[in-house]
Short mmCIF file of all heavy atoms in Angstrom, two decimals:
data_model
loop_
_atom_site.label_atom_id
_atom_site.label_comp_id
_atom_site.label_asym_id
_atom_site.label_seq_id
_atom_site.Cartn_x
_atom_site.Cartn_y
_atom_site.Cartn_z
N GLU A 177 -9.11 10.96 9.17
CA GLU A 177 -8.06 11.87 8.73
C GLU A 177 -8.15 12.24 7.25
O GLU A 177 -7.93 13.40 6.88
CB GLU A 177 -6.69 11.25 9.01
CG GLU A 177 -6.44 10.90 10.48
CD GLU A 177 -6.33 12.13 11.37
OE1 GLU A 177 -5.95 13.21 10.85
OE2 GLU A 177 -6.60 12.00 12.57
N VAL A 178 -8.44 11.26 6.40
CA VAL A 178 -8.39 11.51 4.96
C VAL A 178 -9.72 12.03 4.44
O VAL A 178 -9.75 13.03 3.70
CB VAL A 178 -7.96 10.23 4.20
CG1 VAL A 178 -7.85 10.52 2.71
CG2 VAL A 178 -6.64 9.70 4.75
N GLU A 179 -10.81 11.38 4.79
CA GLU A 179 -12.11 11.79 4.24
C GLU A 179 -12.47 13.25 4.53
O GLU A 179 -12.99 13.93 3.64
CB GLU A 179 -13.20 10.83 4.73
CG GLU A 179 -13.12 9.47 4.06
CD GLU A 179 -14.28 8.54 4.41
OE1 GLU A 179 -15.07 8.89 5.33
OE2 GLU A 179 -14.39 7.48 3.77
N PRO A 180 -12.20 13.78 5.72
CA PRO A 180 -12.51 15.19 5.93
C PRO A 180 -11.76 16.12 4.96
O PRO A 180 -12.32 17.14 4.52
CB PRO A 180 -12.08 15.44 7.38
CG PRO A 180 -12.22 14.12 8.04
CD PRO A 180 -11.79 13.13 6.99
N ASN A 181 -10.54 15.77 4.61
CA ASN A 181 -9.79 16.59 3.65
C ASN A 181 -10.34 16.44 2.24
O ASN A 181 -10.35 17.40 1.46
CB ASN A 181 -8.31 16.23 3.71
CG ASN A 181 -7.59 16.95 4.83
OD1 ASN A 181 -7.62 18.16 4.92
ND2 ASN A 181 -6.96 16.18 5.72
N ILE A 182 -10.79 15.24 1.89
CA ILE A 182 -11.45 15.07 0.59
C ILE A 182 -12.70 15.94 0.52
O ILE A 182 -12.93 16.68 -0.45
CB ILE A 182 -11.80 13.59 0.35
CG1 ILE A 182 -10.53 12.73 0.30
CG2 ILE A 182 -12.59 13.44 -0.95
CD1 ILE A 182 -10.80 11.23 0.26
N LEU A 183 -13.51 15.87 1.57
CA LEU A 183 -14.77 16.63 1.59
C LEU A 183 -14.53 18.14 1.63
O LEU A 183 -15.39 18.92 1.23
CB LEU A 183 -15.62 16.19 2.79
CG LEU A 183 -16.22 14.79 2.67
CD1 LEU A 183 -16.83 14.36 4.00
CD2 LEU A 183 -17.26 14.73 1.55
N ALA A 184 -13.35 18.54 2.12
CA ALA A 184 -12.99 19.96 2.11
C ALA A 184 -12.54 20.43 0.73
O ALA A 184 -12.24 21.61 0.55
CB ALA A 184 -11.90 20.23 3.14
N GLY A 185 -12.50 19.50 -0.23
CA GLY A 185 -12.14 19.87 -1.59
C GLY A 185 -10.70 19.65 -1.96
O GLY A 185 -10.28 20.01 -3.06
N ARG A 186 -9.92 19.03 -1.08
CA ARG A 186 -8.53 18.76 -1.40
C ARG A 186 -8.42 17.53 -2.30
O ARG A 186 -9.14 16.55 -2.11
CB ARG A 186 -7.71 18.58 -0.12
CG ARG A 186 -7.62 19.86 0.71
CD ARG A 186 -6.75 19.68 1.94
NE ARG A 186 -6.61 20.94 2.64
CZ ARG A 186 -7.43 21.37 3.60
NH1 ARG A 186 -8.46 20.62 3.97
NH2 ARG A 186 -7.23 22.54 4.17
N THR A 187 -7.52 17.60 -3.25
CA THR A 187 -7.24 16.46 -4.12
C THR A 187 -6.13 15.65 -3.47
O THR A 187 -5.00 16.11 -3.35
CB THR A 187 -6.83 16.93 -5.53
OG1 THR A 187 -7.91 17.68 -6.08
CG2 THR A 187 -6.52 15.75 -6.42
N VAL A 188 -6.47 14.44 -3.06
CA VAL A 188 -5.61 13.63 -2.20
C VAL A 188 -4.89 12.56 -3.01
O VAL A 188 -5.48 11.89 -3.85
CB VAL A 188 -6.45 12.98 -1.08
CG1 VAL A 188 -5.66 11.92 -0.34
CG2 VAL A 188 -6.96 14.05 -0.11
N LEU A 189 -3.59 12.42 -2.73
CA LEU A 189 -2.78 11.30 -3.21
C LEU A 189 -2.39 10.45 -2.01
O LEU A 189 -1.90 10.98 -1.01
CB LEU A 189 -1.52 11.81 -3.92
CG LEU A 189 -0.42 10.77 -4.20
CD1 LEU A 189 -0.87 9.73 -5.22
CD2 LEU A 189 0.88 11.47 -4.67
N VAL A 190 -2.59 9.13 -2.12
CA VAL A 190 -2.14 8.20 -1.09
C VAL A 190 -1.13 7.25 -1.72
O VAL A 190 -1.45 6.53 -2.66
CB VAL A 190 -3.31 7.39 -0.49
CG1 VAL A 190 -2.80 6.42 0.57
CG2 VAL A 190 -4.36 8.32 0.10
N VAL A 191 0.10 7.29 -1.21
CA VAL A 191 1.16 6.39 -1.67
C VAL A 191 1.40 5.39 -0.56
O VAL A 191 1.91 5.73 0.50
CB VAL A 191 2.45 7.15 -2.00
CG1 VAL A 191 3.50 6.19 -2.56
CG2 VAL A 191 2.19 8.28 -2.99
N ALA A 192 1.02 4.14 -0.81
CA ALA A 192 1.09 3.15 0.26
C ALA A 192 1.50 1.80 -0.31
O ALA A 192 2.38 1.72 -1.18
CB ALA A 192 -0.23 3.11 1.03
N HIS A 193 0.84 0.74 0.13
CA HIS A 193 1.31 -0.63 -0.11
C HIS A 193 0.17 -1.48 -0.65
O HIS A 193 -1.01 -1.14 -0.55
CB HIS A 193 1.85 -1.21 1.19
CG HIS A 193 2.89 -0.34 1.82
ND1 HIS A 193 4.24 -0.50 1.60
CD2 HIS A 193 2.77 0.75 2.62
CE1 HIS A 193 4.91 0.43 2.25
NE2 HIS A 193 4.04 1.20 2.88
N GLY A 194 0.53 -2.64 -1.20
CA GLY A 194 -0.45 -3.48 -1.85
C GLY A 194 -1.65 -3.81 -0.98
O GLY A 194 -2.80 -3.66 -1.41
N THR A 195 -1.40 -4.23 0.26
CA THR A 195 -2.51 -4.67 1.09
C THR A 195 -3.21 -3.51 1.77
O THR A 195 -4.44 -3.50 1.89
CB THR A 195 -2.04 -5.70 2.14
OG1 THR A 195 -1.18 -6.66 1.53
CG2 THR A 195 -3.22 -6.42 2.75
N SER A 196 -2.47 -2.50 2.22
CA SER A 196 -3.15 -1.35 2.83
C SER A 196 -4.03 -0.64 1.80
O SER A 196 -5.14 -0.19 2.12
CB SER A 196 -2.15 -0.38 3.47
OG SER A 196 -1.16 0.05 2.57
N LEU A 197 -3.58 -0.61 0.54
CA LEU A 197 -4.41 0.00 -0.51
C LEU A 197 -5.60 -0.89 -0.86
O LEU A 197 -6.67 -0.39 -1.18
CB LEU A 197 -3.58 0.29 -1.75
CG LEU A 197 -2.60 1.46 -1.61
CD1 LEU A 197 -1.73 1.57 -2.87
CD2 LEU A 197 -3.32 2.77 -1.35
N ARG A 198 -5.43 -2.21 -0.79
CA ARG A 198 -6.59 -3.08 -1.05
C ARG A 198 -7.68 -2.83 -0.01
O ARG A 198 -8.88 -2.87 -0.33
CB ARG A 198 -6.18 -4.55 -1.05
CG ARG A 198 -5.46 -4.97 -2.32
CD ARG A 198 -5.48 -6.47 -2.52
NE ARG A 198 -4.79 -7.18 -1.46
CZ ARG A 198 -5.25 -8.28 -0.87
NH1 ARG A 198 -6.42 -8.79 -1.22
NH2 ARG A 198 -4.54 -8.87 0.07
N GLY A 199 -7.29 -2.57 1.23
CA GLY A 199 -8.29 -2.23 2.24
C GLY A 199 -9.04 -0.95 1.91
O GLY A 199 -10.26 -0.86 2.10
N ILE A 200 -8.31 0.04 1.41
CA ILE A 200 -8.94 1.32 1.04
C ILE A 200 -9.84 1.13 -0.18
O ILE A 200 -10.95 1.66 -0.23
CB ILE A 200 -7.86 2.39 0.80
CG1 ILE A 200 -7.15 2.72 2.12
CG2 ILE A 200 -8.47 3.65 0.19
CD1 ILE A 200 -5.90 3.55 1.96
N VAL A 201 -9.38 0.36 -1.16
CA VAL A 201 -10.19 0.06 -2.34
C VAL A 201 -11.48 -0.66 -1.93
O VAL A 201 -12.57 -0.35 -2.42
CB VAL A 201 -9.38 -0.79 -3.35
CG1 VAL A 201 -10.29 -1.39 -4.42
CG2 VAL A 201 -8.29 0.05 -4.00
N LYS A 202 -11.36 -1.60 -1.02
CA LYS A 202 -12.55 -2.32 -0.52
C LYS A 202 -13.56 -1.34 0.07
O LYS A 202 -14.76 -1.42 -0.18
CB LYS A 202 -12.14 -3.35 0.53
CG LYS A 202 -13.29 -4.19 1.07
CD LYS A 202 -12.79 -5.15 2.15
CE LYS A 202 -13.84 -6.17 2.53
NZ LYS A 202 -15.10 -5.61 3.04
N HIS A 203 -13.05 -0.39 0.85
CA HIS A 203 -13.92 0.60 1.50
C HIS A 203 -14.57 1.52 0.47
O HIS A 203 -15.78 1.74 0.50
CB HIS A 203 -13.10 1.41 2.50
CG HIS A 203 -13.83 2.56 3.11
ND1 HIS A 203 -14.85 2.40 4.00
CD2 HIS A 203 -13.69 3.90 2.92
CE1 HIS A 203 -15.32 3.59 4.35
NE2 HIS A 203 -14.63 4.51 3.71
N ILE A 204 -13.78 2.06 -0.45
CA ILE A 204 -14.31 3.01 -1.43
C ILE A 204 -15.35 2.34 -2.32
O ILE A 204 -16.42 2.90 -2.58
CB ILE A 204 -13.17 3.60 -2.28
CG1 ILE A 204 -12.30 4.55 -1.44
CG2 ILE A 204 -13.74 4.35 -3.50
CD1 ILE A 204 -11.08 5.07 -2.17
N GLU A 205 -15.04 1.14 -2.80
CA GLU A 205 -15.91 0.47 -3.78
C GLU A 205 -16.95 -0.44 -3.14
O GLU A 205 -17.76 -1.04 -3.85
CB GLU A 205 -15.06 -0.32 -4.77
CG GLU A 205 -14.10 0.53 -5.59
CD GLU A 205 -13.38 -0.28 -6.66
OE1 GLU A 205 -13.92 -1.31 -7.11
OE2 GLU A 205 -12.26 0.13 -7.05
N ASN A 206 -16.90 -0.56 -1.80
CA ASN A 206 -17.84 -1.44 -1.09
C ASN A 206 -17.76 -2.87 -1.62
O ASN A 206 -18.77 -3.52 -1.91
CB ASN A 206 -19.27 -0.91 -1.18
CG ASN A 206 -20.20 -1.58 -0.17
OD1 ASN A 206 -19.77 -2.02 0.90
ND2 ASN A 206 -21.47 -1.68 -0.50
N ILE A 207 -16.54 -3.36 -1.74
CA ILE A 207 -16.28 -4.70 -2.26
C ILE A 207 -16.46 -5.72 -1.14
O ILE A 207 -16.11 -5.47 0.02
CB ILE A 207 -14.86 -4.78 -2.84
CG1 ILE A 207 -14.72 -3.82 -4.03
CG2 ILE A 207 -14.50 -6.19 -3.26
CD1 ILE A 207 -13.30 -3.70 -4.56
N SER A 208 -16.98 -6.88 -1.46
CA SER A 208 -17.21 -7.92 -0.45
C SER A 208 -15.89 -8.49 0.06
O SER A 208 -14.84 -8.37 -0.58
CB SER A 208 -18.04 -9.06 -1.04
OG SER A 208 -17.29 -9.80 -1.99
N ASP A 209 -15.96 -9.14 1.24
CA ASP A 209 -14.76 -9.77 1.82
C ASP A 209 -14.18 -10.80 0.85
O ASP A 209 -12.96 -10.93 0.74
CB ASP A 209 -15.12 -10.46 3.14
CG ASP A 209 -15.61 -9.50 4.21
OD1 ASP A 209 -15.54 -8.27 3.99
OD2 ASP A 209 -16.06 -9.98 5.26
N GLU A 210 -15.04 -11.53 0.17
CA GLU A 210 -14.58 -12.56 -0.75
C GLU A 210 -13.95 -11.96 -1.99
O GLU A 210 -12.87 -12.37 -2.43
CB GLU A 210 -15.75 -13.46 -1.14
CG GLU A 210 -15.38 -14.58 -2.10
CD GLU A 210 -16.57 -15.43 -2.51
OE1 GLU A 210 -17.71 -15.06 -2.19
OE2 GLU A 210 -16.35 -16.47 -3.17
N ALA A 211 -14.58 -10.94 -2.57
CA ALA A 211 -14.10 -10.38 -3.83
C ALA A 211 -12.77 -9.64 -3.67
O ALA A 211 -11.94 -9.67 -4.58
CB ALA A 211 -15.16 -9.44 -4.42
N ILE A 212 -12.56 -8.99 -2.55
CA ILE A 212 -11.32 -8.22 -2.37
C ILE A 212 -10.11 -9.14 -2.36
O ILE A 212 -9.01 -8.73 -2.74
CB ILE A 212 -11.37 -7.35 -1.09
CG1 ILE A 212 -10.23 -6.31 -1.12
CG2 ILE A 212 -11.28 -8.20 0.16
CD1 ILE A 212 -10.28 -5.33 -2.27
N CYS A 213 -10.30 -10.40 -1.98
CA CYS A 213 -9.19 -11.34 -1.94
C CYS A 213 -8.68 -11.70 -3.33
O CYS A 213 -7.60 -12.26 -3.47
CB CYS A 213 -9.61 -12.61 -1.19
SG CYS A 213 -10.05 -12.30 0.54
N LYS A 214 -9.46 -11.39 -4.36
CA LYS A 214 -9.10 -11.72 -5.73
C LYS A 214 -8.51 -10.53 -6.48
O LYS A 214 -8.21 -10.63 -7.67
CB LYS A 214 -10.33 -12.25 -6.48
CG LYS A 214 -10.92 -13.50 -5.84
CD LYS A 214 -12.22 -13.91 -6.53
CE LYS A 214 -12.83 -15.13 -5.83
NZ LYS A 214 -14.14 -15.51 -6.44
N ILE A 215 -8.35 -9.41 -5.79
CA ILE A 215 -7.84 -8.20 -6.43
C ILE A 215 -6.36 -8.02 -6.12
O ILE A 215 -5.94 -8.10 -4.96
CB ILE A 215 -8.64 -6.96 -5.97
CG1 ILE A 215 -10.06 -7.02 -6.56
CG2 ILE A 215 -7.94 -5.67 -6.38
CD1 ILE A 215 -10.95 -5.88 -6.13
N ASP A 216 -5.57 -7.80 -7.16
CA ASP A 216 -4.15 -7.47 -7.01
C ASP A 216 -3.93 -6.07 -7.56
O ASP A 216 -4.48 -5.71 -8.61
CB ASP A 216 -3.26 -8.46 -7.77
CG ASP A 216 -3.21 -9.82 -7.10
OD1 ASP A 216 -2.67 -9.89 -5.98
OD2 ASP A 216 -3.70 -10.80 -7.70
N LEU A 217 -3.11 -5.29 -6.86
CA LEU A 217 -2.80 -3.93 -7.29
C LEU A 217 -1.34 -3.86 -7.74
O LEU A 217 -0.45 -4.30 -7.02
CB LEU A 217 -3.05 -2.94 -6.15
CG LEU A 217 -4.50 -2.87 -5.66
CD1 LEU A 217 -4.61 -1.98 -4.44
CD2 LEU A 217 -5.43 -2.39 -6.76
N PRO A 218 -1.08 -3.29 -8.89
CA PRO A 218 0.28 -3.28 -9.44
C PRO A 218 1.18 -2.26 -8.76
O PRO A 218 0.71 -1.25 -8.23
CB PRO A 218 0.06 -2.91 -10.91
CG PRO A 218 -1.18 -2.05 -10.88
CD PRO A 218 -2.04 -2.65 -9.81
N ASN A 219 2.47 -2.55 -8.78
CA ASN A 219 3.44 -1.57 -8.31
C ASN A 219 3.55 -0.42 -9.30
O ASN A 219 3.61 -0.63 -10.52
CB ASN A 219 4.84 -2.20 -8.16
CG ASN A 219 4.94 -3.17 -7.01
OD1 ASN A 219 4.89 -4.38 -7.20
ND2 ASN A 219 5.09 -2.65 -5.81
N GLY A 220 3.59 0.81 -8.77
CA GLY A 220 4.02 1.95 -9.57
C GLY A 220 3.07 2.46 -10.63
O GLY A 220 3.50 3.20 -11.50
N ILE A 221 1.78 2.07 -10.57
CA ILE A 221 0.81 2.60 -11.54
C ILE A 221 -0.30 3.30 -10.77
O ILE A 221 -1.08 2.66 -10.07
CB ILE A 221 0.22 1.49 -12.43
CG1 ILE A 221 1.33 0.76 -13.19
CG2 ILE A 221 -0.79 2.09 -13.40
CD1 ILE A 221 0.83 -0.36 -14.09
N PRO A 222 -0.38 4.64 -10.86
CA PRO A 222 -1.42 5.36 -10.13
C PRO A 222 -2.80 5.01 -10.66
O PRO A 222 -2.98 4.74 -11.85
CB PRO A 222 -1.10 6.85 -10.42
CG PRO A 222 0.26 6.87 -11.03
CD PRO A 222 0.46 5.54 -11.67
N PHE A 223 -3.79 5.01 -9.77
CA PHE A 223 -5.18 4.89 -10.22
C PHE A 223 -6.04 5.91 -9.51
O PHE A 223 -5.76 6.31 -8.37
CB PHE A 223 -5.72 3.46 -10.07
CG PHE A 223 -5.63 2.85 -8.70
CD1 PHE A 223 -6.75 2.77 -7.89
CD2 PHE A 223 -4.44 2.29 -8.24
CE1 PHE A 223 -6.69 2.17 -6.64
CE2 PHE A 223 -4.37 1.69 -7.00
CZ PHE A 223 -5.50 1.64 -6.19
#
Side-chain angles (χ1 to χ4, degrees):
E177 302 292 334
V178 183
E179 287 186 350
N181 277 305
I182 297 172
L183 289 170
R186 294 183 175 90
T187 299
V188 169
L189 167 67
V190 180
V191 183
H193 306 266
T195 315
S196 55
L197 288 175
R198 284 200 298 136
I200 293 169
V201 167
K202 182 182 191 301
H203 173 70
I204 290 175
E205 298 186 26
N206 195 28
I207 297 173
S208 70
D209 297 352
E210 180 181 9
I212 194 61
C213 297
K214 300 174 183 177
I215 290 178
D216 288 294
L217 298 174
N219 289 101
I221 302 179
F223 55 102

